[in-house]
Amino acid sequence: MTATTEPSALQFECETGNYHTFCPISCVAWLYQKIEDSFFLVIGTKTCGYFLQNAMGVMIFAEPRYAMAELEEGDISAQLNDYEELKRLCLQIKRDRNPSVIVFIGTCTTEIIKMDLEGMAPKLESEIGIPIVTARANGLDYAFTQGEDTVLAAMVHKCPTQVKVEAEKEERNAIHKLLNFGRKKEEVKAEESEYIDHPPLILFGSLPDPVVTNLTLELKKQGVKIAGWLPAKRYTELPIIEEGYYVAGVNPFLSRTATTLMRRRKCKLIGAPFPIGPDGTRAWIEKICSVFGIQPKGLEEREAQIWESIEDYAKLVRGKSVFFMGDNLLEVSLARFLIRCGMTCHEIGIPYMDKRYQAAELAFLEKTCNDMGVPMPKIVEKPDNYNQVQRIYELKPDLVITGMAHANPLEARGINTKWSVEFTFAQIHGFTNARDILELATRPLRRNNNLKQLGWDKLVKEEAKI
């Protein structure tokens, strides 16, 4: 297609199909590892337990900090005292693990039978002496990644204020001294002088520690100091959040957390594209700098350096087309990055689109398409997978990024696919992880190229005919 056929703006459609995604209770898989002193208690039926067992079966050799409180027929028919049962479980968790926080993950069943988890939590907290966060990460959400959104939104209410910190000053000072142990006062002062004076900035979104360090250092180069991350590595290190603080998200599926921070804590949201790919990371940093009146330094060179380092992967996708079926709400950011790499995107399927929270990302996608001279992709909210498969047959894209349910059927029909869930668990944020995104996206293309060189593709076609 030529540039003359481009639509003037992004097209939005809504097919009102089903949400073909995992259940949001799967957020436990990465959150219990991120918040090291936590314990997650999922309250649901045996079906929820089977799902967790399958979703996290790969972690059997680790010692997990999550458990399943299974509701039996007696519980569901409201014959048993759920408070006493939860209290018994919490006391057992305290005795065995002694976490700093217990997170109740409510499921669909707790919604249906109207189990008052929020009402029970304060009383349980006072009885067992451990904070309890209640999050309803149930299957009624649009995408499985929104489980994290629900948990973080609930944790916002637990973040301390300056008044509370003053009361705990001795403990906070002890932690501060421990962090600076062995460092000279001159070194600490010199480090502080590297930052520009600006209002406190809180970043929200669960990322692996190396990525957190990477983004923190990238902002430090510009003189921006991060006042805290939500979630923190430990629950006891949750950031102080006061009215007027600035907040910025790192993931496109955290709209509920952003809304809670703005409405409940009166924070100011920095609307920026998300730091996925070198282009997105640069735009994210530039937006934060512009809000604080800082002139960014060396970002153009940094971005150019990354593009040069991933050229060997980028040339594999240049000129090819991609189709997103919709799964984890990362679709717009990934599509924008792949378009910048030289791909054409036919369609971006997405389970749910919050146009306010993703406004900067959508504008950046539009700009990227104009810069690259490619047609604007159609964005389909709540896509009907049957209709999507028909469009895939018609368009014949070089790569389809899809949920696990449709990957094998499409592969059997000669269509290259990549599981979208892999992008959820991979490290894809920041400058240095752009290569990992392309490594994942190009894997099926490289595999098929290798098969062609070996002549196996002809054998596969012959077997398909039989």
Side-chain angles (χ1 to χ4, degrees):
M1 295 176 79
T2 60
T4 54
T5 61
E6 293 173 38
S8 57
L10 291 169
Q11 297 174 281
F12 293 90
E13 289 183 16
C14 185
E15 285 190 325
T16 63
N18 293 326
Y19 305 120
H20 301 271
T21 70
F22 285 139
C23 174
I25 64 173
S26 57
C27 70
V28 172
W30 61 89
L31 285 176
Y32 92 83
Q33 295 180 80
K34 174 64 185 179
I35 310 168
E36 294 177 353
D37 56 350
S38 63
F39 193 96
F40 284 76
L41 185 64
V42 182
I43 304 160
T45 59
K46 277 187 169 60
T47 307
C48 308
Y50 294 145
F51 170 72
L52 275 182
Q53 196 173 4
N54 283 302
M56 299 197 276
V58 293
M59 301 174 192
I60 56 171
F61 298 110
E63 189 177 9
R65 291 186 314 282
Y66 64 88
M68 184 75 211
E70 285 187 354
L71 295 167
E72 302 288 348
E73 288 179 17
D75 301 304
I76 293 169
S77 59
Q79 293 173 357
L80 300 181
N81 190 325
D82 46 14
Y83 178 82
E84 289 301 324
E85 184 62 16
L86 279 176
K87 181 182 171 184
R88 182 186 69 79
L89 288 170
C90 288
L91 287 171
Q92 185 181 337
I93 290 164
K94 182 181 180 180
R95 184 178 66 249
D96 296 345
R97 309 304 298 267
N98 196 29
S100 298
V101 62
I102 296 174
V103 183
F104 285 168
I105 301 291
T107 61
C108 306
T109 312
T110 60
E111 295 277 296
I112 293 162
I113 66 173
K114 301 192 184 300
M115 198 172 179
D116 187 18
L117 295 175
E118 288 86 357
M120 288 186 280
K123 190 179 175 186
L124 275 170
E125 269 189 5
S126 61
E127 285 204 46
I128 67 171
I130 294 176
I132 295 174
V133 173
T134 302
R136 295 190 175 272
N138 58 69
L140 305 176
D141 272 335
Y142 306 105
F144 71 97
T145 48
Q146 287 181 291
E148 177 187 325
D149 192 20
T150 311
V151 173
L152 296 192
M155 279 195 174
V156 168
H157 300 289
K158 297 285 187 178
C159 287
T161 58
Q162 201 66 47
V163 175
K164 188 179 177 185
V165 170
E166 287 297 325
E168 301 167 353
K169 202 164 188 180
E170 279 188 33
E171 188 181 340
R172 287 264 173 174
N173 283 341
I175 292 169
H176 185 71
K177 285 177 184 176
L178 189 64
L179 290 172
N180 289 317
F181 181 74
R183 298 177 68 194
K184 294 178 182 177
K185 287 182 180 178
E186 294 79 13
E187 288 178 8
V188 177
K189 281 184 180 178
E191 186 178 323
E192 289 297 321
S193 67
E194 294 176 22
Y195 297 108
I196 293 165
D197 187 33
H198 61 79
L201 170 67
I202 305 293
L203 300 182
F204 59 93
S206 176
L207 295 178
D209 291 341
V211 185
V212 168
T213 304
N214 183 269
L215 292 178
T216 302
L217 291 174
E218 292 292 350
L219 286 171
K220 183 182 178 182
K221 288 177 187 175
Q222 307 301 328
V224 177
K225 184 176 185 179
I226 299 172
W229 280 83
L230 178 69
K233 196 173 179 181
R234 298 179 64 82
Y235 178 80
T236 50
E237 296 167 9
L238 279 177
I240 300 163
I241 299 180
E242 291 277 0
E243 183 176 339
Y245 278 25
Y246 283 84
V247 293
V250 295
N251 275 319
F253 47 76
L254 299 174
S255 56
R256 189 178 293 148
T257 306
T259 303
T260 305
L261 284 163
M262 288 189 288
R263 290 182 181 172
R264 302 297 179 202
R265 289 304 186 94
K266 303 292 187 288
C267 295
K268 298 174 183 177
L269 178 69
I270 298 176
F274 300 99
I276 294 172
D279 50 339
T281 305
R282 175 186 168 183
W284 182 74
I285 295 171
E286 283 180 339
K287 180 64 178 181
I288 291 171
C289 288
S290 70
V291 168
F292 294 141
I294 298 168
Q295 185 63 39
K297 309 183 293 286
L299 282 180
E300 285 183 30
E301 295 81 359
R302 183 85 170 107
E303 186 188 357
Q305 179 190 12
I306 299 299
W307 283 119
E308 188 180 341
S309 70
I310 62 174
E311 174 58 26
D312 55 334
Y313 276 117
K315 67 184 179 186
L316 294 173
V317 297
R318 196 168 290 127
K320 290 185 165 55
S321 58
V322 63
F323 188 109
F324 286 84
M325 289 194 76
D327 186 47
N328 57 12
L329 299 190
L330 292 170
E331 289 82 11
V332 175
S333 300
L334 290 172
R336 178 257 305 152
F337 168 62
L338 292 177
I339 289 168
R340 180 65 70 179
C341 289
M343 295 191 85
T344 301
C345 184
H346 294 299
E347 178 174 314
I348 301 174
I350 189 166
Y352 165 70
M353 170 57 71
D354 189 319
K355 289 184 183 177
R356 294 172 303 170
Y357 182 58
Q358 291 214 46
E361 185 65 86
L362 290 169
F364 197 34
L365 170 65
E366 203 167 341
K367 180 181 182 300
T368 301
C369 290
N370 286 324
D371 291 348
M372 301 302 292
V374 298
M376 300 281 180
K378 181 171 64 174
I379 297 177
V380 181
E381 190 177 0
K382 292 191 284 188
D384 184 301
N385 282 171
Y386 178 82
N387 293 339
Q388 276 195 319
V389 169
Q390 306 313 308
R391 292 196 289 272
I392 288 168
Y393 288 160
E394 184 184 330
L395 293 165
K396 294 182 173 55
D398 296 296
L399 178 66
V400 175
I401 296 177
T402 175
M404 294 168 75
H406 301 92
N408 282 351
L410 289 171
E411 285 282 349
R413 286 158 181 79
I415 296 163
N416 295 322
T417 65
K418 193 64 191 162
W419 290 351
S420 49
V421 71
E422 292 188 68
F423 294 95
T424 311
F425 290 97
Q427 296 184 15
I428 61 172
H429 296 76
F431 284 122
T432 56
N433 291 315
R435 190 175 186 84
D436 289 3
I437 306 174
L438 283 178
E439 201 282 329
L440 284 173
T442 60
R443 195 175 291 168
L445 303 175
R446 287 182 284 119
R447 180 194 63 216
N448 287 349
N449 286 341
N450 291 338
L451 287 175
K452 282 178 185 176
Q453 288 174 8
L454 293 168
W456 287 5
D457 59 319
K458 293 176 185 176
L459 180 63
V460 171
K461 285 178 183 176
E462 288 300 321
E463 285 185 354
K465 287 177 187 175
I466 295 168

